[in-house]
């Protein structure tokens, strides 16, 4: 007889996991995580406020940056509550509906972040290769259309992948290995045939992450080619400097993603807490580092942030 009852998706309760093997230290572990999340929330909120309130930042590049900060804020909020609930109160239970909601929005904000990075790469390409027509190509209305398209595309691609999980039933352990609902882990706990789910999930992620990942390096090949054709060394340096922040944002998005993929593929025999820590880092690093990179490397953002901070001072 099976040790676990066959339970339909509507009534299942999953148990999230903090850091396996280090449960006794959850309170201490929560301190750096809490600090990083507060950094992400305050940093991205400050950049959003600066872009909204400072007329000098009402340009296409900064509108796209505001989209990036919005996705980072959404990603932080949807993971922060569950993670700190586990660390502080051992609140591990999550209903199937809440799990689906969290899974959808975490994936949506992740996919949107990559799409925004692609839009920002296009922005830099137009600004460097065709500066005279830059303002006429990337008008306010066109930027709004791009933003709406990013949201609609991600929603349409991810909704079937998440919704089809409702057909599953669960007869195994309901313990998930991360402090948030991760699509592959939920499917592993099912006693229903998941081949359809795997196919839809692979299609959704390939259509989003796979397709968006190709034009980004291609755009930078064209950007570098254009910059190298500039005769003035000073103008060439200035053009390169406008891309530094964006290339940093791309790096901090892909490095944790690649690290997580390698751990899943080659580190199956490693300690469980290593998987969990990398999974948390994968969602945490971009929201924390993006505002820092743009504040340090982008002079206009740095000036606007300093201006706001000084105006709030005594």
């Amino acid at each position: 007889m099976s040790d676990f009852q066959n339970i339909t998706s509507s009534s299942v309760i999953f148990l999230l996991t903090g850091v396996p093997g280090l449960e006794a230290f959850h309170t201490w572990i929560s301190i750096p995580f809490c600090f990083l999340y507060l950094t992400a929330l305050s940093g991205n909120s400050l950049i959003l406020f600066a872009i909204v309130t400072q007329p000098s930042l009402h340009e296409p590049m900064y509108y796209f940056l505001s989209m990036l900060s919005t996705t980072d804020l959404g990603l932080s909020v949807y993971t922060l509550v569950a993670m700190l609930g586990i660390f502080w109160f051992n609140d591990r239970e999550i209903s199937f509906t809440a799990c689906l909601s969290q899974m959808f929005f975490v994936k949506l904000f992740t996919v949107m972040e990559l799409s925004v990075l692609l839009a920002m790469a296009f922005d830099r390409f137009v600004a460097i290769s065709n500066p005279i027509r830059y303002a006429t190509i990337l008008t306010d209305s066109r930027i709004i259309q791009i933003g709406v398209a990013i949201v609609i595309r991600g929603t349409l691609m991810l909704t079937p992948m998440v919704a089809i999980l409702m057909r599953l039933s669960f007869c195994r352990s309901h313990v998930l290995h991360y402090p948030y609902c991760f699509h592959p882990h939920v499917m592993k706990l099912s006693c229903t045939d998941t081949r359809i789910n795997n196919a839809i999930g692979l299609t959704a992620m390939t259509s989003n992450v796979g397709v968006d990942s190709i034009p980004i390096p291609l755009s930078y090949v064209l950007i570098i080619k254009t910059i190298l054709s500039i005769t003035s060394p000073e103008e060439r340096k200035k053009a390169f400097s406008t891309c530094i922040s964006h290339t940093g944002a791309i790096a901090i998005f892909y490095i944790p993603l690649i690290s997580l993929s390698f751990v899943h593929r080659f580190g199956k025999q490693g300690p469980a807490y290593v998987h969990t820590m990398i999974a948390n880092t994968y969602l945490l690093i971009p929201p924390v580092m993006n505002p820092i990179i743009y504040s340090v490397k982008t002079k206009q953002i740095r000036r606007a942030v300093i201006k706001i901070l000084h105006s709030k001072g005594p």
Side-chain angles (χ1 to χ4, degrees):
M1 184 175 179
S2 174
D3 293 333
F4 300 98
Q5 183 182 3
N6 191 334
I7 301 177
T8 59
S9 60
S10 59
S11 58
V12 68
I13 299 292
F14 290 118
L15 294 176
L16 301 174
T17 301
V19 182
L22 299 176
E23 289 82 2
F25 303 98
H26 272 181
T27 302
W28 294 105
I29 293 172
S30 71
I31 295 174
F33 275 98
C34 186
F35 174 76
L36 290 172
Y37 271 116
L38 289 175
T39 302
L41 293 174
S42 58
N44 286 290
S45 297
L46 187 59
I47 283 183
L48 271 176
F49 183 75
I51 293 172
V52 170
T53 59
Q54 302 299 312
S56 62
L57 300 181
H58 293 175
E59 297 179 8
M61 173 183 175
Y62 305 112
Y63 289 146
F64 286 125
L65 177 56
S66 70
M67 295 181 195
L68 188 67
S69 292
T70 302
T71 61
D72 284 338
L73 278 173
L75 200 57
S76 300
V77 169
Y78 264 91
T79 52
L80 171 64
V81 176
M83 189 175 296
L84 293 183
I86 296 170
F87 287 152
W88 289 348
F89 309 110
N90 197 32
D91 184 14
R92 299 175 58 199
E93 292 189 354
I94 184 170
S95 68
F96 184 76
T97 303
C99 184
L100 286 189
S101 175
Q102 185 192 60
M103 184 191 308
F104 173 79
F105 282 105
V106 168
K107 281 194 171 292
L108 177 62
F109 286 122
T110 303
V111 166
M112 284 174 57
E113 177 141 352
L114 181 56
S115 297
V116 172
L117 290 174
L118 173 59
M120 295 173 83
F122 176 70
D123 167 77
R124 291 299 84 208
F125 172 68
V126 175
I128 291 171
S129 64
N130 203 344
I132 296 176
R133 295 188 58 205
Y134 177 61
T136 59
I137 294 174
L138 287 173
T139 60
D140 290 353
S141 61
R142 193 158 292 165
I143 292 171
I144 293 172
Q145 291 171 359
I146 292 173
V148 172
I150 287 172
V151 176
I152 292 176
R153 175 174 173 249
T155 302
L156 291 178
M157 289 292 184
L158 294 174
T159 297
M161 182 185 77
V162 175
I164 201 172
L165 290 172
M166 299 182 71
R167 62 182 279 273
L168 303 180
S169 58
F170 299 86
C171 55
R172 302 188 180 98
S173 168
H174 297 156
V175 177
L176 298 171
H177 300 305
Y178 292 162
Y180 55 87
C181 290
F182 189 50
H183 183 259
H185 287 178
V186 173
M187 288 198 299
K188 284 181 181 179
L189 300 182
S190 172
C191 52
T192 310
D193 187 350
T194 59
R195 283 178 292 183
I196 295 176
N197 297 75
N198 286 326
I200 292 177
L202 181 61
T203 301
M205 297 314 293
T206 302
S207 301
N208 283 279
V209 178
V211 171
D212 286 354
S213 296
I214 297 172
I216 291 177
L218 178 61
S219 67
Y220 267 91
V221 170
L222 297 175
I223 287 171
I224 292 171
K225 183 180 178 181
T226 303
I227 291 175
L228 293 177
S229 66
I230 299 173
T231 54
S232 170
E234 188 174 332
E235 289 297 319
R236 195 182 307 140
K237 181 180 178 181
K238 183 179 178 182
F240 265 122
S241 67
T242 63
C243 300
I244 291 176
S245 299
H246 183 242
T247 53
I250 293 172
I252 63 174
F253 179 86
Y254 276 104
I255 291 173
L257 178 63
I258 294 171
S259 300
L260 183 62
S261 300
F262 267 91
V263 167
H264 273 292
R265 179 67 181 85
F266 302 108
K268 295 179 180 179
Q269 304 303 319
Y273 66 83
V274 173
H275 291 249
T276 303
M277 296 298 283
I278 292 179
N280 292 338
T281 303
Y282 156 64
L283 293 180
L284 188 60
I285 285 183
V288 171
M289 293 303 299
N290 280 336
I292 294 174
I293 289 174
Y294 276 93
S295 297
V296 171
K297 293 296 184 181
T298 307
K299 181 170 61 176
Q300 292 85 345
I301 291 290
R302 185 169 65 251
R303 287 176 176 174
V305 168
I306 292 173
K307 181 180 178 181
I308 291 171
L309 293 176
H310 282 175
S311 66
K312 300 296 181 182

